Amino acid sequence: MKAMMLTGIRAMEMREVPDPVLNDPKDVLIRMLTVGVCGSDVHYYTTGRIGSQVVQYPFTVGHEGAGVVEIVGAAVTRVKPGDIIAVEPAMSCWECDQCLEGRPHTCRKLKFLGCPGQAPGCLSELLVMPEESCFPIPSSMSATQAALSEPLAIGVYAANLAGALNGKSIGILGAGPIGLSVLVAAKAAGVGSVYMTDRIVPRLELAKKLGANQTANFDESDAVAPVKAKLEFVFECCGQQEALDQAIEMLKPGGKLMIVGIPEVDRISFSIDQLRRKEIAIQNVRRQNHCTLKALDGIADKSLIVDSFATHRFKFDDTKAAFDLVASYQDGVVKAMVDF
């Protein structure tokens, strides 16, 4: 099969690699249909690492995917050949203390698609996944919507983890796919008002269409002033130190900071004076936890609208162009999709 592989910093090649095989009776062979380019994929492309996870070249990334089932293992009951499915990228052991405590997203033996040292990604023609990671979709749902359920599930989980949002005033810093996913999830949860920031105008325009009450371009104005010490929750979704600093200023005393974005740096910092005086709570958000099906159900019943996220499409052979577009934030890109 063909696989698009990272071969160095900002280097990528299409290579022929052996077809994957089913090694377990609960394995499923999938022919990929479409894959979304995530910011974490781009981190690996531009820097070769995220924290302690360092790429050993060549390596295939990609974890937001949908495909069609080709072959199933003897013990598989959830899907059958011909089914179009959403792929949940996390592969948990279901036996460790974390899994048994309802936290498979922090599984001690977790393997995640496109994560160095864990599992190759899904930017390949074929993929083998355990049955638990395969979610059949209704005929009314497109493969693109199915793939977008992955970032959407993160937004759903972040909104759930924050606590009761009904009637609350929140901020979302970063209007990329994750920030927008938090937005639609928060709106579905009955949030009172949403203040959203970014530096890309088309993203802010889309945020308004999806329900943001107020937006600000922090390159052009003081993004903090309109909501200083007024917000009950702030979701940091861009992984930037500047945004984290702004979040602390925006939060009212007793507010809660939800860290959803993935910084490229190894360390971030906070003003302990403000944190202490305002008694700010900080909650990290680790991917998604039991939220893939919730995201798919929301797409199916149209309570969670994600169609507008997919702003650019590329052929599999042109994957590098998709990564370059996302890495440079060109042309108002929200989500670039790679189609097979």
Side-chain angles (χ1 to χ4, degrees):
M1 69 172 182
K2 292 181 178 179
M4 188 62 75
M5 309 189 79
L6 301 183
T7 56
I9 299 299
R10 293 184 180 268
M12 184 178 285
E13 295 178 10
M14 185 76 80
R15 295 193 176 182
E16 294 281 345
V17 300
D19 289 354
V21 297
L22 278 63
N23 293 313
D24 187 278
K26 299 189 77 174
D27 280 348
V28 177
L29 179 67
I30 307 155
R31 183 167 294 276
M32 298 306 299
L33 294 173
T34 190
V35 173
V37 178
C38 177
S40 60
D41 299 329
V42 174
H43 285 339
Y44 291 130
Y45 176 64
T46 59
T47 69
R49 63 190 292 261
I50 295 177
S52 60
Q53 297 165 334
V54 180
V55 174
Q56 299 295 314
Y57 302 108
F59 184 68
T60 304
V61 293
H63 60 269
E64 301 177 1
V68 58
V69 175
E70 290 221 330
I71 303 172
V72 299
V76 172
T77 59
R78 178 183 288 186
V79 296
K80 64 184 184 303
D83 284 350
I84 307 297
I85 63 167
V87 178
E88 157 63 62
M91 295 166 276
S92 306
C93 74
W94 306 105
E95 296 176 348
C96 70
D97 63 317
Q98 293 296 291
C99 288
L100 295 177
E101 291 171 11
R103 296 181 55 87
H105 63 311
T106 54
C107 169
R108 303 280 188 179
K109 300 177 181 178
L110 185 68
K111 293 182 180 180
F112 197 86
L113 284 181
C115 186
Q118 296 182 18
C122 58
L123 276 168
S124 57
E125 292 178 314
L126 297 170
L127 178 72
V128 168
M129 294 294 288
E131 177 183 31
E132 293 86 355
S133 293
C134 300
F135 289 79
I137 64 172
S139 59
S140 60
M141 188 181 299
S142 69
T144 295
Q145 290 174 315
L148 289 171
S149 70
E150 198 281 334
L152 177 62
I154 296 172
V156 171
Y157 178 53
N160 288 350
L161 191 61
L165 295 181
N166 188 48
K168 303 295 186 181
S169 57
I170 73 168
I172 302 173
L173 310 188
I178 299 301
L180 294 172
S181 293
V182 172
L183 170 62
V184 298
K187 295 295 288 187
V191 70
S193 65
V194 181
Y195 179 72
M196 205 152 182
T197 68
D198 204 284
R199 54 165 45 103
I200 301 174
V201 173
R203 289 184 172 186
L204 293 173
E205 292 173 346
L206 178 55
K208 287 182 179 179
K209 291 178 181 178
L210 292 173
N213 302 87
Q214 187 177 1
T215 64
N217 186 325
F218 58 78
D219 277 347
E220 299 177 357
S221 62
D222 183 348
V224 173
V227 292
K228 188 171 183 177
K230 295 180 180 179
L231 302 179
E232 295 167 272
F233 297 87
V234 172
F235 297 79
E236 199 288 325
C237 297
C238 55
Q240 300 295 320
Q241 180 65 58
E242 181 182 8
L244 291 166
D245 293 339
Q246 292 172 343
I248 299 304
E249 292 190 70
M250 293 175 180
L251 284 163
K252 65 193 302 184
K256 190 172 187 178
L257 170 61
M258 306 293 295
I259 302 180
V260 191
I262 301 176
E264 288 188 342
V265 298
D266 291 336
R267 291 178 180 271
I268 57 176
S269 62
F270 297 101
S271 165
I272 189 60
D273 180 62
Q274 288 202 65
L275 278 180
R276 183 176 63 83
R277 291 179 182 278
K278 292 167 75 173
E279 198 178 50
I280 299 299
I282 298 176
Q283 173 70 62
N284 282 281
V285 180
R286 174 66 166 169
R287 295 174 179 152
Q288 61 271 77
N289 184 22
H290 296 299
C291 286
T292 296
L293 188 56
K294 292 179 182 178
L296 287 167
D297 286 346
I299 293 171
D301 66 20
K302 295 182 170 52
S303 62
L304 300 171
I305 305 298
V306 296
D307 303 70
S308 55
F309 291 12
T311 54
H312 295 73
R313 308 201 79 95
F314 294 82
K315 295 180 180 179
F316 187 32
D317 287 342
D318 298 325
T319 300
K320 188 178 188 304
F323 274 63
D324 287 334
L325 177 80
V326 176
S328 59
Y329 299 98
Q330 294 176 3
D331 198 32
V333 62
V334 176
K335 175 65 68 177
M337 305 297 299
V338 175
D339 297 323
F340 290 77

